Each structure stands twice: as structure tokens, then as C-alpha cells.
Amino acid sequence: MSLNIPFILLFAISLLGAVLYAYRQAGNRPVVIETVVVLALAILLAAQVLRYIAADLEDPSDLQLMQDILSFLGAAIAVTSIGYLLFKSQGRDRIVEDLMSTRAELADRRTKSETFRRTLRRFVSIAEEEREDFDEVVLEIAADALKVDRASIWIGAPQSRQVECVASFDRVRGGDGVGMILGEDDFPAYFEGLSGDHVLAVSNCWDDVRTKDFRQGYLPATGVTALCDVELDLQDGGRGIICFETVGTERVWVPEDISFIHAVGDLLLLVYARQKIERATRELHERDARFRDFSRAASDFFWECDAELKYTFLSDRDSPISTDGGVIGLAIQDSPGFDPNNEGCRTRLDRMKAREPFRDLAVRGWKHDGSETIVAVSGIPIFGEDGTFAGYRGTGRDILEKYREETVQRAIQATVSGGIGEAFLADAVNALVEFGNKTAWIARVSRSDASMVEILAGANSSGPMEKFSYSVNGAPCADVLRGQMVVHPSGVANLFPHDTFLQECGIESYGGVPLRDEKGRVIGMLVVMMDRPVRDPELLRSLLSVFSVRAAAELNRIRAEEERTELQRQLLHSQRLETMGALAGGIAHDFNNVLTPILGYSEMLMEDFEPGTQPHEDAEAIFRGAQRAKRMVKQILAFSRRSDTDASVPFNIDTLIRGSVKFMSASIPASIEMSVDIAPDIPMLVGDPGKFDQVLMNLITNAYHAIGDREGRIDIQARKTHISDDFARINPPLNAGNAIRIDVSDTGCGIAPDVLGKIFEPYFTTKGSGRGTGFGLSTCRGIVDAMHGTILVDSEIGRGSTFSVLIPTDSGLHTEAVQPAPESIPAVAEAKRYSVVYVDDEVENNVMAIRLLERAGHTVRSFEDPERALAYLEGKPGDVDILITDDSMPKLQGWELAAQYRKLVPDGPVVVVSGGSDTAIQARYTEIDAAKFVQKPFVVSELIDRMNEAAEGREKA
């Protein structure tokens, strides 16, 4: 009793307190429920009382039964009351909602698990289909099952700190992320979070610290909000990651999701491993099949030995190693056919014992029919992965027929494997002589004369021959140059009685084969001659054919090298000329500015003084000197290619040459004899006759200086010729076709070889002080180049020189003739009087021009600053009749000033003066079509003529 009463009281008080507190929280009045609770307490108390009474009775079974009934009834009423109170306090709807939510969640998880199981079973069936896009299909289906937007799998090599995307699916953008790289150095927080549990499940990537590295680039670019990445273990020790992501919505990842992702990743890895094994197996089968096919189709047979040098493999074809193929398991030295006395067999065994490779060792062997043969055997040692010697693998080939022709083949091989270029040619002709020929040579067709061949390499029974030229006219070589192989087994000297070489050397038989270039053109020949009849003409033809292939290749190599060297020399020469031309052009431009006032003032002085007086003669001398200087500057501009070299007319070369010789005869000593030989049918040339006359005068003068005070000859010849394609190719700007060749030859001192390459360079001269400027030949080269021609030189110390000028007659150049510069002061035609604005940044030129023009009756306003001149023109455009401007000025170029003036006065006349040539500057004024040109230095008549032309053009417009 003492134990139960306190417990009953405590339980009753607690229960009553809980009921009252709950009801008060619910805002209900505790009237009925208090009665129910008190009733329950009374029943429980009555039950305890009955228990106490029953304890004193001898048969308390009935009372105990009653007590148990009351206890159960009280407890039931109390529990029901408490449940009702709790239901009223929390609200009926909330409890129902929680119960339904829990039920729905359990149902959803059961559905998801079932979906995942079906999806995995589907993956297995897809894997059995062996599809190429298996991984992409799996990722898409898995993404559908997980209801996510993106899925991908990433693979990294062992020991690598990065992974690469190998397959991906993107429902939103549809892009392909394959090839993307994730590195631990770039995303440390991500990889650290993944390495813990090998799972990274993030509901919101923007808030999770583990994905903070993605916030700058990856998340904004893809729109990813939640991700679940699972790390996978690769069999090779590498790293794999499978990733599923949602776009725009958060996602809570449950254990079923993670287990499913794990299963998908493992399945993909298994498929990858199976595919890798299948590929390796397939490649192995293909290699085996390829090797078997090669061994069946090859002319060689294949063999293999183990580390004890015993045969382990011999290909299936008819191997000449043994009679029955029973060498498998036999050592090399024990196999049939091994002959210790045979050098090839001994060398092979020694090499194999030394574990050294060998190639094409000739050893004895027997075919299956028992006949003996010669086999060329090659082999290499093989080693295991640990470096231990594993044996040999090699090939073999039957070379009996080749071996029988060993003598011939060795001779040919010696020449084929010899040197290159002329070294090979020398070896080839020596080999042909050793083969039994008395004489052999290799020649090329002369570039300048197609009827001549130049012997590049020759040999006879006495040794090498000196190089020489040989005319094919009346010789069997003429038939060779026509493109056919020629063999005369006997009586060749009788067939060609006019060939002195055949007669003098007692040649009886002859063989020749043409050598061709890559286009099939004959460029040379290979010739052999004997003093006895040929025993086997077919064998000779075979030898000529064999040697001609390599000889033609080497001759082409020599020609190509010569052409390359010549073109390189011409390029360097052209670059030097271009550099010197630019310098010369600049100097000429400045010098023209200096000459302009000299010429102008001397002209004014000549007008001021009476003719015949000393001052007039002095002024005239200054004028003539300035004119000579002007012509020199014009030559410099021609050299620099800044002058007008396009003005051309047809002219008679006969008349021009004879006139030049007649003029030069007066200044050449009588000790030098001059002769002229001009072909009667020589055509006319197209060009500037004055400039071409300058070329002839320079060449004749140089010939005279080369002879000096000694007796000698100068011969001038002119004849028609034809330029071949080969010759034109290495002598630009020549074109193939008809041409005129003019030779100026002398018997002077000649030119040293080290000087020949420099004679056309400007400023270069071998003459003493006062006898040469260094511009003669360079100017000649510029004039001839402008006519699409070239100048060749052939010189030898002590024998003289020949300068050959080649000018095409098919160039088609037809333009206006060049007008010579005036030697004296032309008369100034009567002209109108103009208001002139003269602009030149040279002060002396301005002052001189003002005086010249004012003396001629014109009104002149001059400016040194073109910007000030433009301001004046803008202020008074109607007061100006003609604008005369220098071309090259600071601040504002002449063509810019002219263009601005034309905007003010659209038909305003413009005259341009320049130290450069008209052709060089006209392009700048073509758009405004405004200018007449006067080249500095000028005389007043030239300037006034251009002014009148410009003004007349305005009036006509």
C-alpha cells in the first residue's frame, strides 16, 4: 500500500495538470473533460482500494478480477481523454495533413525505388545491345528517372589532378560538354568536399561552401542550382565522377537517389571496361590476321628463335631454309643448311650470340625440292618487359638470281650509291669504262646553242677527260638529242664520216640515251663508245637505261642548283640595286632642287647680257653645265627606276649602231680598230633610242678603256637569235622567243672572276680616278631591263671581254617616243599673262621662280608654307589663274594642296614641279585629273608651256 498510493497520486496530479494545460492552450472551457478525467481517477483509485482489501483476504481472486477491470477501464478513459485533448489542441486538419504527407512520402519513395530498379534493368538490356552511344543514352534515361536536367560522367587518369568529361546530357541547352576539364587546383573546395564521403549532394549550389568555386563561371553559365556527384573507383587507379544536376530548382537528395547514381556510375564503368577489353581483343585479332596475311602475301618468309636460338616459328610459305620445314625446335647451328665455312652463316650466328641486329646476310639454304639456293637473312633481337633477352625475329628472301648477276649488280650499285651531282657523274662514267667501254661521257645541252653539248664528266681507258664542248651536227648524238636511244653495234665511224671525234679515236660502236627533265624535255645525254663491236646490244641498252635514270636525276639536280644559285645571285643583286636605287633617287631629287635655281638664274643672266659678251658666255657655260648635270640626274633617276622608262618607239638598230660607232671613232685612238657586223635581216627594236644609244656608248667606252693605249680591236655584232625556255627562266626579265643579240667584244685586259659579279653595281668601278663614276654599267642594266632584256658578260683575264645585249623582239612595247631634253634655251612662245600662286618649300626655288615668271609678264604670289598657300587660295580663289606647286613638301603634299584647290575651283589649272619623274608622281594626281608636270630643273619655256597647256585645258572644258 505504501508503494502504490504515492504512485497513484503522482500519476493523477500529472495527468490532471497536462489536461488542463492543453485545454487552456486550445482556448476551451475545462468543464466536461474535467469530469471525465476525475471519473477516470476515481475508477483508478477504486481499483487500488480493491487491491488493498484483497491483500487481507484468503481468496482475493474475485476482488482482483474486479480490480483489473477497474484499472483497465480507468486507463482507457484516461488515454481517450488525453488523445481527445491533444487532438483538440493541435487541430484536426494539421494531424491529418501530417499523416497524409508521411503516407505520400512513403509511397513516393516506394515508387522511386521501383522506378530506379526498372531503369537499372533497362540499362542492362541496353548494355547488351553494344551501342556506340551507350553512355549518352544511359545518362539521358537516368536523368529522366531522377527528374533532373543535366547528367555527365568524368574520367581522370591515375595520379592526375584533373578529370575530363567523356559523356554528357543537357536537357535545357542541348550542348555537348564532352572535353571539359575539372582540376583540383581550380576547384579545391569541390574536390575536398567530394573526397570525404565520395558523395557530394548539394541542394543549393549558391549557398553551399563546397561549390563556392563554381559561382564565378560554371553556375552562371549553366544555370545549375542543385547537384549530386558520386566518386567512382576505376580499375586502373584513376578517378571517375558521375554528376546529376538540376537547373533553376533546388533538390533534396535522398539515399535512394544516391544509391541509384552509384549504380548508374558502376554500370557505366563496367561497360567502359568491357568496351576497352573488346577493343583490345579486336585490335589483337586484327594484328594477328594482318600479320598472317602479310606473311602469306610477302615475297619474304618470316622466322623466330627463342633465347636459346632455337627456331620457334617459320611462316607458312615455301621457305628455302630446309627441305621439310622441320626446323622448329632446332638451334640455328643444328638446322639444315647451316655451313660453318660460309661467311654469311658464321656472321649470322656470331651476331645472334652477341644479340646484335643484322641485315641481308647471304646464307646457304635448300628449297623443298632439294635444290640449293642463297638466302638474304635479316634479324633483330627481342627483349621482354623486364629487359631479359627473349630471342630473335627476322625475315629471309631468296636471292639466287640476284646473286648470279652479282658482278653487274655490284658495278651498278657502286654508281647508284655513290656521290651526288658531278661527283656521281664522274663515278658513273668511270664505272661504264670499267665495264668494257673505251669512252663514256655525260653531257648537257648548251643553254645558248642547242646544237652544242657541254661534256660535264668524261672518262676513257686512260683516265678522266677534260671538260669540252661538242657539236652534234653530223654526229650520232644529234639523233640522241631528238629524244631516242641510239645503239650502233658496229661501223659507226663509217655511218658518220664528218664526226672527227669518231674518226680520230677509232670508234667502232656507239650507244647513247637522252637525259630528260621532269617535263620530258631532253636536257643532256649519256654516251658510251667502244673500239670494237658490241657483243650484246640488248645488254648495252639495259645498262644505258639503268644509268640514264640516275644520270638524268643528277643532271636535273645540277641544273636546279645552278638555277637556284643564279636566281639567288640575281636576287641579291636586285636587292642591292633596289637599295642603291632608293638612295640614288633621294640624292637625285635633292640635287634637282639644287640645280633648279642654277639653271633658272643662268637662263636669266643669258637674257640680261648681250650675246657674244664675256658675261653672256659665262652664263651660257653655267647653263650648259647645269644641263649636263640635269642629264646625269636623269640617268640616276633611270637607274633608281623613278624616271619614265616606258616611253618607247620602234627604231632601226643598224642606223643606231653605225651612228654610235661613227661618233665614238673620233675619240678612240687609231691604234684601236673598230668593226661593225650587222645581219641584213635584223628587225627593228622597240624602246627609247636615246637611252639605247647611251647603252652602246657606255659599252664601247668601256671596251676602249679596257684596251687602253695598246693596240686592239673592238667588234660590234648584231644578229637575230632565239631565247629558249630554260635560258629565259634563269635570266629574268627575258621571255622565251625571238630576240636581237648585240655583242660588243674587245681584246683588252679582261675582267677578273671575283670582279664580274660586281660590275653592274652602282658606284663600283675599276677605273682610276677621273675615268669612271660607277654608274655606267648599272645604268645600262636599268635601260636594258626596262626593255625586258638582259646583259651577259663573258670575260677572261688577258683575252678580253664580250658584253652581249639580248633584247626580245616580241615584247609588244609600243608607246610614245621619249623627247630629248633641250640643249639650248628654247624660244618662249607668246602666251597670256596669268595670276600665279607658286608653292615650294625651297626658298631659292621660290625666289628664282618669281623672277622667271615676272620677267615673262605674269603676276606671282609665292609661298614656302603650303598651309599658308591654301589659306590664301581659300580667301581669294577667283583671283588665281594657275596654281604651281612642288610635289614633295612638309605639312601638306602637292597632290593634297591641288585637291583642296580643285574643291574651291573645280576646273582650276594646276602645274606640278618635282625633283622626281613624271611617271613616279602622276599616280597621286589621277583622282583629281588636274595636273601638268614639269621636272626639276626646268627652263622657263618648259614651265610656261605647261602653264599654257593647263590653261587651255580649262578653256576647252
Side-chain angles (χ1 to χ4, degrees):
M1 183 68 179
S2 60
L3 293 175
N4 291 323
I5 290 177
F7 168 78
I8 293 172
L9 292 177
L10 179 60
F11 173 82
I13 294 171
S14 299
L15 180 63
L16 181 60
V19 170
L20 294 176
Y21 176 79
Y23 243 65
R24 288 191 182 94
Q25 292 296 321
N28 296 319
R29 292 177 59 85
V31 178
V32 177
I33 196 60
E34 286 180 357
T35 305
V36 175
V37 172
V38 170
L39 177 60
L41 292 176
I43 293 173
L44 290 174
L45 182 60
Q48 290 297 324
V49 172
L50 290 175
R51 181 180 179 182
Y52 175 75
I53 296 173
D56 295 332
L57 296 178
E58 293 182 358
D59 185 14
S61 56
D62 293 334
L63 291 177
Q64 286 180 351
L65 177 62
M66 182 62 68
Q67 184 259 339
D68 291 338
I69 292 173
L70 291 176
S71 296
F72 174 78
L73 180 62
I77 294 173
V79 170
T80 301
S81 300
I82 293 172
Y84 176 77
L85 291 176
L86 291 175
F87 177 77
K88 293 295 291 181
S89 66
Q90 293 182 5
R92 180 183 309 167
D93 294 339
R94 181 176 177 184
I95 291 176
V96 172
E97 181 181 353
D98 289 344
L99 291 174
M100 295 301 293
S101 174
T102 300
R103 180 182 178 183
E105 181 178 353
L106 291 174
D108 180 65
R109 292 179 69 172
R110 283 194 301 272
T111 302
K112 181 182 292 187
S113 296
E114 182 59 29
T115 300
F116 289 166
R117 283 192 294 272
R118 287 197 305 270
T119 302
L120 291 175
R121 285 194 294 271
R122 184 181 177 187
F123 287 165
V124 173
S125 62
I126 294 175
E128 294 175 352
E129 297 175 5
E130 299 184 356
R131 298 179 52 161
E132 291 292 334
D133 58 345
F134 170 78
D135 45 6
E136 298 176 1
V137 173
V138 166
L139 290 177
E140 181 178 358
I141 296 174
D144 292 339
L146 285 168
K147 297 180 180 180
V148 298
D149 304 300
R150 292 166 53 89
S152 57
I153 186 164
W154 306 67
I155 302 295
Q159 309 300 323
S160 175
R161 294 180 58 83
Q162 62 184 23
V163 291
E164 179 182 0
C165 181
V166 297
S168 67
F169 166 73
D170 190 331
R171 192 190 314 278
V172 178
R173 290 172 172 78
D176 188 4
V178 174
M180 291 182 59
I181 301 296
L182 287 179
E184 293 187 29
D185 297 333
D186 298 325
F187 307 100
Y190 168 80
F191 280 96
E192 183 179 355
L194 188 64
S195 63
D197 297 329
H198 305 290
V199 175
L200 187 64
V202 179
S203 299
N204 189 325
C205 295
W206 291 95
D207 298 335
D208 198 298
V209 68
R210 296 170 296 178
T211 54
K212 65 179 182 179
D213 298 329
F214 294 151
R215 296 171 188 168
Q216 297 298 320
Y218 185 75
L219 297 182
T222 60
V224 170
T225 303
L227 63 81
C228 183
D229 291 5
V230 175
E231 189 171 24
L232 309 171
D233 293 330
L234 303 182
Q235 293 181 352
D236 60 358
R239 167 187 286 175
I241 299 175
I242 186 168
C243 177
F244 290 87
E245 301 164 329
T246 64
V247 175
T249 59
E250 296 183 8
R251 169 70 176 263
V252 177
W253 306 93
V254 298
E256 287 82 0
D257 296 338
I258 297 173
S259 298
F260 176 69
I261 293 173
H262 252 302
V264 173
D266 291 340
L267 177 63
L268 285 174
L269 292 184
L270 287 174
V271 173
Y272 285 157
R274 188 189 70 183
Q275 292 176 347
K276 184 176 181 180
I277 293 172
E278 290 175 351
R279 284 195 301 269
T281 303
R282 187 165 54 251
E283 291 174 359
L284 180 60
H285 290 327
E286 290 175 354
R287 284 198 298 268
D288 289 344
R290 189 182 302 118
F291 176 77
R292 287 193 300 270
D293 293 340
F294 285 158
S295 65
R296 293 191 186 100
S299 300
D300 299 348
F301 66 90
F302 302 91
W303 57 272
E304 181 182 60
C305 288
D306 59 16
E308 297 178 356
L309 304 185
K310 293 181 179 180
Y311 282 109
T312 58
F313 173 79
L314 190 63
S315 57
D316 296 335
R317 64 168 280 105
D318 184 18
S319 169
I321 284 185
S322 67
T323 56
D324 56 3
V327 299
I328 305 300
L330 295 179
I332 296 293
Q333 62 272 25
D334 298 330
S335 62
F338 181 83
D339 183 359
N341 297 319
N342 179 266
E343 182 180 357
C345 292
R346 291 198 312 270
T347 303
R348 179 192 183 193
L349 184 59
D350 293 341
R351 292 282 185 86
M352 294 179 71
K353 289 181 177 180
R355 300 176 184 177
E356 296 176 351
F358 53 89
R359 185 174 183 83
D360 292 335
L361 293 179
V363 300
R364 292 177 60 191
W366 283 268
K367 296 184 178 180
H368 286 271
D369 59 5
S371 61
E372 184 178 357
T373 187
I374 303 296
V375 180
V377 182
S378 302
I380 59 172
I382 55 177
F383 299 90
E385 294 183 358
D386 57 354
T388 58
F389 175 65
Y392 263 84
R393 292 194 182 112
T395 63
R397 174 179 296 180
D398 190 340
I399 59 169
L400 179 62
E401 294 301 324
K402 178 180 177 181
Y403 192 77
R404 288 174 177 172
E405 300 174 359
E406 185 177 17
T407 303
V408 176
Q409 293 296 328
R410 285 179 181 175
I412 296 176
Q413 184 67 24
T415 57
V416 171
S417 61
I420 62 174
E422 293 192 7
F424 164 78
L425 301 184
D427 292 342
V429 294
N430 287 330
L432 286 169
V433 170
E434 291 175 0
F435 194 72
N437 298 291
K438 181 178 180 179
T439 302
W441 74 46
I442 295 175
R444 68 178 175 184
V445 180
S446 173
R447 294 182 185 272
S448 58
D449 190 345
S451 66
M452 299 289 294
V453 293
E454 301 168 355
I455 310 303
L456 298 179
N460 54 33
S461 55
S462 301
M465 300 170 58
E466 295 289 336
K467 294 182 179 180
F468 62 95
S469 296
Y470 179 76
S471 175
V472 300
N473 294 328
C477 293
D479 295 332
V480 178
L481 288 185
R482 295 188 185 98
Q484 57 185 353
M485 180 185 293
V486 176
V487 174
H488 295 289
S490 62
V492 65
N494 296 329
L495 295 174
F496 299 92
H498 300 294
D499 189 340
T500 57
F501 185 86
L502 299 179
Q503 309 301 325
E504 293 174 357
C505 298
I507 301 301
E508 175 67 20
S509 57
Y510 173 96
V513 61
L515 306 179
R516 303 177 184 272
D517 63 8
E518 65 278 0
K519 295 182 179 179
R521 298 173 298 192
V522 177
I523 59 173
M525 63 178 65
L526 169 63
V527 173
V528 295
M529 290 173 278
M530 286 169 278
D531 55 1
R532 53 179 174 79
V534 176
R535 297 176 180 175
D536 190 350
E538 291 303 320
L539 178 59
L540 178 58
R541 288 188 176 91
S542 299
L543 285 173
L544 290 174
S545 298
V546 170
F547 275 95
S548 66
V549 174
R550 178 70 187 279
E554 294 304 323
L555 186 55
N556 275 288
R557 184 202 301 272
I558 293 171
R559 285 164 54 88
E561 182 65 23
E562 289 176 347
E563 291 178 4
R564 186 190 67 79
T565 302
E566 176 62 19
L567 291 176
Q568 185 178 31
R569 185 194 65 77
Q570 292 182 9
L571 175 61
L572 294 175
H573 181 72
S574 175
Q575 290 174 340
R576 287 196 295 268
L577 287 180
E578 183 178 356
T579 302
M580 299 305 297
L583 175 61
I587 295 174
H589 180 274
D590 294 339
F591 197 50
N592 274 336
N593 281 328
V594 175
L595 285 177
T596 298
I598 296 175
L599 194 63
Y601 283 120
S602 64
E603 183 179 8
M604 286 187 284
L605 288 174
M606 292 172 65
E607 293 176 357
D608 291 342
F609 296 116
E610 290 292 331
T613 62
Q614 186 62 44
H616 185 277
E617 292 178 357
D618 294 343
E620 189 174 9
I622 296 173
F623 182 82
R624 287 197 301 270
Q627 288 281 41
R628 291 181 60 194
K630 179 179 179 180
R631 289 194 295 272
M632 289 182 61
V633 172
K634 196 170 183 179
Q635 290 183 13
I636 296 175
L637 286 172
F639 160 73
S640 68
R641 299 182 183 271
R642 297 188 177 189
S643 68
D644 185 3
T645 58
D646 293 331
S648 304
V649 292
F651 63 90
N652 190 311
I653 191 64
D654 190 333
T655 304
L656 189 67
I657 292 175
R658 296 186 187 279
S660 299
V661 171
K662 182 178 180 181
F663 177 80
M664 290 296 298
S665 296
S667 59
I668 293 179
S671 60
I672 299 177
E673 182 182 351
M674 295 184 66
S675 68
V676 177
D677 180 13
I678 302 176
D681 57 347
I682 196 164
M684 298 184 73
L685 280 182
V686 177
D688 186 337
K691 291 181 179 179
F692 197 77
D693 180 64
Q694 180 182 349
V695 173
L696 293 174
M697 301 279 279
N698 266 302
L699 295 179
I700 295 172
T701 300
N702 287 344
Y704 156 53
H705 288 163
I707 298 173
D709 298 333
R710 298 178 292 108
E711 292 184 355
R713 289 182 56 84
I714 299 177
D715 298 320
I716 298 98
Q717 293 182 335
R719 65 182 186 276
K720 294 190 297 183
T721 188
H722 183 80
I723 300 171
S724 66
D725 291 334
D726 290 343
F727 189 80
R729 187 165 61 251
I730 63 172
N731 290 281
L734 277 179
N735 293 320
N738 297 323
I740 293 177
R741 178 173 182 146
I742 302 167
D743 295 332
V744 179
S745 304
D746 64 72
T747 58
C749 58
I751 305 173
D754 59 331
V755 175
L756 270 177
K758 304 177 183 178
I759 60 175
F760 291 106
E761 295 181 2
Y763 304 112
F764 180 82
T765 180
T766 58
K767 302 174 183 178
S769 176
R771 298 188 64 190
T773 62
F775 275 105
L777 287 177
S778 60
T779 302
C780 291
R781 170 64 68 85
I783 294 171
V784 174
D785 282 354
M787 299 175 71
H788 301 287
T790 191
I791 303 178
L792 306 177
V793 186
D794 181 17
S795 183
E796 186 177 347
I797 294 294
R799 293 189 180 181
S801 305
T802 298
F803 282 79
S804 300
V805 180
L806 282 88
I807 305 294
T809 57
D810 302 333
S811 61
L813 298 175
H814 293 283
T815 58
E816 296 182 358
V818 177
Q819 299 297 326
E823 291 293 335
S824 60
I825 302 175
V828 180
E830 289 295 330
K832 296 180 180 179
R833 303 295 182 260
Y834 302 112
S835 175
V836 179
V837 169
Y838 191 95
V839 187
D840 195 324
D841 60 315
E842 295 284 343
V843 178
E844 294 81 359
N845 291 349
N846 261 331
V847 176
M848 182 274 299
I850 291 172
R851 294 188 59 183
L852 278 177
L853 293 174
E854 287 180 345
R855 287 164 71 100
H858 302 287
T859 303
V860 184
R861 181 67 182 269
S862 68
F863 296 90
E864 300 168 20
D865 186 344
E867 292 182 344
R868 291 184 58 196
L870 179 60
Y872 177 80
L873 292 172
E874 290 173 345
K876 300 179 179 181
D879 296 343
V880 179
D881 295 324
I882 297 176
L883 169 65
I884 303 176
T885 177
D886 186 21
D887 174 61
S888 179
M889 298 181 293
K891 297 184 180 179
L892 203 64
Q893 294 291 317
W895 66 271
E896 295 175 315
L897 178 60
Q900 294 295 328
Y901 175 59
R902 271 305 184 96
K903 290 180 180 179
L904 300 171
V905 183
D907 59 348
V910 178
V911 177
V912 180
V913 294
S914 174
S917 68
D918 293 353
T919 303
I921 63 175
Q922 281 179 356
R924 306 187 190 120
Y925 297 87
T926 53
E927 292 185 3
I928 59 175
D929 189 24
K932 299 294 180 180
F933 297 92
V934 180
Q935 187 169 349
K936 297 179 182 179
F938 52 82
V939 295
V940 66
S941 61
E942 294 177 309
L943 182 60
I944 291 176
D945 287 346
R946 300 293 90 74
M947 291 169 57
N948 291 335
E949 292 172 4
E952 290 173 1
R954 180 182 187 182
E955 292 173 359
K956 291 179 181 180

